[in-house]
C-alpha cells in the first residue's frame, strides 16, 4: 500500500524533530556535566588532590625512559567549536591552551623536543576568514611563548622555539616576527618546541633535496650524499632523524603528510578519538607510559638477554622441560630449488 505523500512528508519532519531533540538533549547534558565537573575541580580540596596526583604520576614516569621527541597532530579544533556552537576561533584558542598545558607536562617529564602540526600548506585552501584567524592566533601565541621562555619564574624558562616549514608562503611581516621570536629564544637548551607552520613532509623532503644538491654542486671535494647528510638538511635539524612518539587526535587514522620521514623507523604512532582541545594529561600520560613500558623491554632484550629466557633460567630444574636431542633424519626435506635464470 502506497503511503500518501503528505503523510510521508510529516513522517520525515517528525524524524528530523526527534533527531534534533536528541542532539539538543545530549548537548545540554554534556554542557551540564562539564559545568558540574568544572565546579568540583574549582574546589580547593579537589584542585589540590588533582595537582598532587598529577605530580606523583609524573615522578613515577620520570624514573623510566621517556621519549626524546614527541609530536602532536592537533586535529579537532573546528569540530570542538561546532559541537559547542562556538565560533571557529574559540576552538583554535582552546587548542592553543591544550598545547601549552601539554608542553609543561612534557618538559617536566624530561622530553627534550616537542613538535606540533599547527598549519598544513594545504590549509591555505580553507576560507580566508579562518586562515586569517589562524595567522593572528599564531602571532599571539608566538609572543606568549617567547615571554614565558624568558621568564625565570615560568616552567617553560630555558626553552627554544623553532618555526619550520615553507616560509616563502608567509607574509614578510610574519617572517620578520618569526625570526625575532627565534632570535629571542635561541639560547634555550633545556627544551625545544618545533611549530610546523606551514608544513608538509613532501615539502620538507623537497627542501632537503634542493639544499643537498646545491651543497653538492658547491663542494669541490664532491663528497657523496648519504642518508645522514640528507636528514640533517631537513627542517628539524638534529631531531629530523626520528620521532619516538607521534600522537594524533580526533579519530582520524592517517598522518596527513606529516612526519613521514621521522616516523619511518622505531616510532610509535598513537591515535586518539578525543578532539584536540579535550586531550587531557591522563590521555597523554597513558600513551607515554605504554611507550616507556615497551621501550624498557626492548632495551633489555637488546642486551642479548631475553626477558622470558631469564625468567625461565630462574625456575627450579624440576619445573623445566627436558630437551630431547633431534636426529638429523628428523629434519624435513629441503624445498625444490628453481633457477630464476633458466640455467640447469
Amino acid at each position: 500500500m502506497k503511503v500518501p505523500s503528505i503523510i510521508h512528508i510529516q513522517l520525515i519532519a517528525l524524524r528530523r524533530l526527534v533527531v534534533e531533540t536528541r542532539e539538543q538533549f545530549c548537548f545540554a547534558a554534556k554542557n551540564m556535566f562539564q559545568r558540574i565537573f568544572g565546579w568540583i575541580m574549582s574546589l580547593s580540596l579537589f584542585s589540590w588532590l588533582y595537582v598532587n596526583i598529577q605530580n606523583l604520576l609524573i615522578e613515577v614516569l620520570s624514573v623510566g625512559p621517556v621519549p626524546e621527541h614527541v609530536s602532536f597532530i592537533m586535529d579537532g579544533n573546528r569540530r570542538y567549536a561546532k559541537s559547542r556552537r562556538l565560533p571557529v576561533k574559540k576552538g583554535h584558542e582552546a587548542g592553543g591552551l591544550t598545547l601549552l598545558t601539554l608542553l609543561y607536562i612534557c618538559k617536566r617529564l624530561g622530553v627534550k623536543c616537542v613538535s606540533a602540526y599547527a598549519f598544513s600548506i594545504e590549509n591555505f585552501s580553507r576560507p580566508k576568514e579562518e586562515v586569517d584567524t589562524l595567522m593572528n592566533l599564531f602571532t599571539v601565541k608566538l609572543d606568549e611563548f617567547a615571554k614565558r621562555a624568558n621568564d625565570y619564574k615560568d616552567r617553560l624558562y630555558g626553552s627554544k622555539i623553532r618555526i619550520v616549514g615553507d616560509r616563502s608562503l608567509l607574509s614578510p611581516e610574519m617572517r620578520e616576527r618569526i625570526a625575532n621570536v627565534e632570535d629571542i629564544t635561541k639560547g634555550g637548551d633545556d627544551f625545544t618546541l618545533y611549530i610546523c607552520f606551514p608544513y608538509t613532509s613532501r615539502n620538507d623532503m623537497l627542501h632537503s633535496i634542493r639544499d643537498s644538491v646545491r651543497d653538492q654542486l658547491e663542494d669541490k671535494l664532491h663528497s657523496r650524499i648519504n642518508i645522514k647528510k640528507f636528514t640533517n638538511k631537513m627542517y628539524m635539524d638534529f631531531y629530523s632523524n626520528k620521532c619516538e612518539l607521534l600522537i594524533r587526535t580526533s579519530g582520524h587514522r592517517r598522518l596527513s603528510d606529516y612526519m613521514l620521514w621521522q616516523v619511518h623507523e622505531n616510532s610509535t604512532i598513537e591515535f586518539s578519538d578525543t578532539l584536540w582541545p579535550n586531550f587531557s594529561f591522563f590521555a597523554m600520560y597513558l600513551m607515554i607510559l605504554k611507550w616507556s613500558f615497551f621501550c624498557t623491554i626492548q632495551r633489555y632484550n637488546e642486551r642479548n638477554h631475553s626477558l622470558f629466557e631469564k625468567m625461565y633460567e630462574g625456575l627450579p630444574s624440576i619445573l623445566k622441560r627436558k630437551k630431547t636431542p633431534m636426529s638429523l633424519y628428523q629434519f624435513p626435506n629441503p624445498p625444490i630449488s628453481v633457477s630464476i635464470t633458466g640455467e640447469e
Side-chain angles (χ1 to χ4, degrees):
M1 180 178 178
K2 187 176 181 181
V3 181
S5 58
I6 184 66
I7 297 178
H8 182 67
I9 294 174
Q10 290 177 349
L11 289 174
I12 293 176
L14 179 62
R15 186 183 304 169
R16 289 179 179 176
L17 180 62
V18 171
V19 172
E20 291 177 0
T21 304
R22 184 177 60 184
E23 289 179 353
Q24 291 176 359
F25 175 78
C26 292
F27 176 77
K30 185 185 295 184
N31 193 24
M32 182 180 297
F33 174 78
Q34 289 176 347
R35 288 183 179 181
I36 293 174
F37 182 77
W39 175 77
I40 292 175
M41 292 305 299
S42 65
L43 299 176
S44 58
L45 176 62
F46 286 95
S47 178
W48 175 86
L49 185 63
Y50 176 81
V51 171
N52 280 272
I53 290 175
Q54 188 180 92
N55 291 336
L56 177 62
L57 292 175
I58 290 175
E59 292 296 329
V60 170
L61 189 55
S62 300
V63 175
V66 294
E68 186 176 4
H69 181 185
V70 177
S71 189
F72 298 109
I73 300 179
M74 306 181 294
D75 194 16
N77 292 334
R78 291 193 295 175
R79 275 176 283 168
Y80 173 85
K82 184 178 179 181
S83 66
R84 283 160 175 74
R85 301 178 183 178
L86 298 172
V88 176
K89 179 182 178 181
K90 295 296 182 182
H92 291 301
E93 288 177 352
L97 182 60
T98 299
L99 176 62
L100 183 63
T101 303
L102 297 182
L103 288 179
Y104 282 118
I105 302 300
C106 288
K107 191 172 185 293
R108 289 185 61 191
L109 283 172
V111 176
K112 295 297 183 182
C113 171
V114 169
S115 56
Y117 202 9
F119 194 86
S120 170
I121 292 176
E122 283 145 12
N123 286 153
F124 282 110
S125 61
R126 291 184 179 182
K128 185 178 183 303
E129 181 181 356
E130 184 178 354
V131 173
D132 292 340
T133 298
L134 287 170
M135 292 293 175
N136 294 331
L137 180 62
F138 177 69
T139 302
V140 172
K141 294 301 178 182
L142 269 181
D143 295 337
E144 181 181 353
F145 184 89
K147 182 179 179 181
R148 292 178 181 273
N150 286 279
D151 184 1
Y152 71 93
K153 295 181 180 180
D154 197 278
R155 289 182 178 176
L156 285 178
Y157 177 72
S159 302
K160 176 171 58 178
I161 188 170
R162 289 280 312 280
I163 313 302
V164 295
D166 193 346
R167 297 190 187 182
S168 64
L169 301 174
L170 301 175
S171 64
E173 296 79 13
M174 180 65 76
R175 293 200 293 268
E176 183 180 355
R177 199 146 193 172
I178 289 173
N180 183 46
V181 171
E182 288 184 339
D183 184 64
I184 292 174
T185 63
K186 65 181 181 181
D189 296 326
D190 298 338
F191 182 78
T192 303
L193 170 64
Y194 285 97
I195 298 294
C196 301
F197 185 99
Y199 176 90
T200 60
S201 275
R202 288 175 295 174
N203 179 267
D204 195 359
M205 295 178 195
L206 177 62
H207 156 80
S208 180
I209 291 171
R210 286 174 175 172
D211 284 2
S212 298
V213 172
R214 183 194 61 205
D215 291 351
Q216 181 74 5
L217 294 175
E218 295 176 355
D219 186 8
K220 296 180 180 180
L221 299 177
H222 297 292
S223 59
R224 306 187 71 177
I225 300 175
N226 53 35
I227 295 295
K228 184 177 180 180
K229 290 181 179 179
F230 179 82
T231 304
N232 291 337
K233 290 294 180 182
M234 301 185 82
Y235 286 130
M236 295 186 187
D237 300 329
F238 175 76
Y239 293 102
S240 293
N241 187 41
K242 60 181 178 179
C243 170
E244 285 88 353
L245 180 61
L246 173 63
I247 300 172
R248 175 164 190 160
T249 57
S250 84
H252 289 306
R253 265 65 176 172
R254 60 176 184 265
L255 297 182
S256 298
D257 201 1
Y258 178 68
M259 304 288 283
L260 303 181
W261 183 272
Q262 288 79 6
V263 300
H264 74 283
E265 182 182 10
N266 293 330
S267 297
T268 300
I269 303 175
E270 294 282 356
F271 296 103
S272 172
D273 294 331
T274 307
L275 299 179
W276 173 249
N278 289 329
F279 192 68
S280 64
F281 158 76
F282 291 104
M284 187 187 71
Y285 181 86
L286 291 175
M287 290 180 181
I288 297 181
L289 180 64
K290 177 182 174 183
W291 181 92
S292 180
F293 174 75
F294 286 107
C295 181
T296 301
I297 295 177
Q298 182 181 8
R299 290 181 182 180
Y300 186 86
N301 290 335
E302 286 176 353
R303 300 191 187 105
N304 298 322
H305 295 286
S306 171
L307 179 60
F308 297 103
E309 290 180 0
K310 199 71 176 179
M311 294 173 61
Y312 182 77
E313 291 175 2
L315 291 175
S317 58
I318 192 173
L319 298 178
K320 295 181 180 179
R321 184 179 178 182
K322 294 182 179 180
K323 297 180 180 180
T324 56
M326 191 172 183
S327 172
L328 181 63
Y329 298 101
Q330 292 179 284
F331 285 96
N333 295 325
I336 301 175
S337 60
V338 179
S339 174
I340 61 174
T341 60
E343 300 177 356
E344 294 294 337

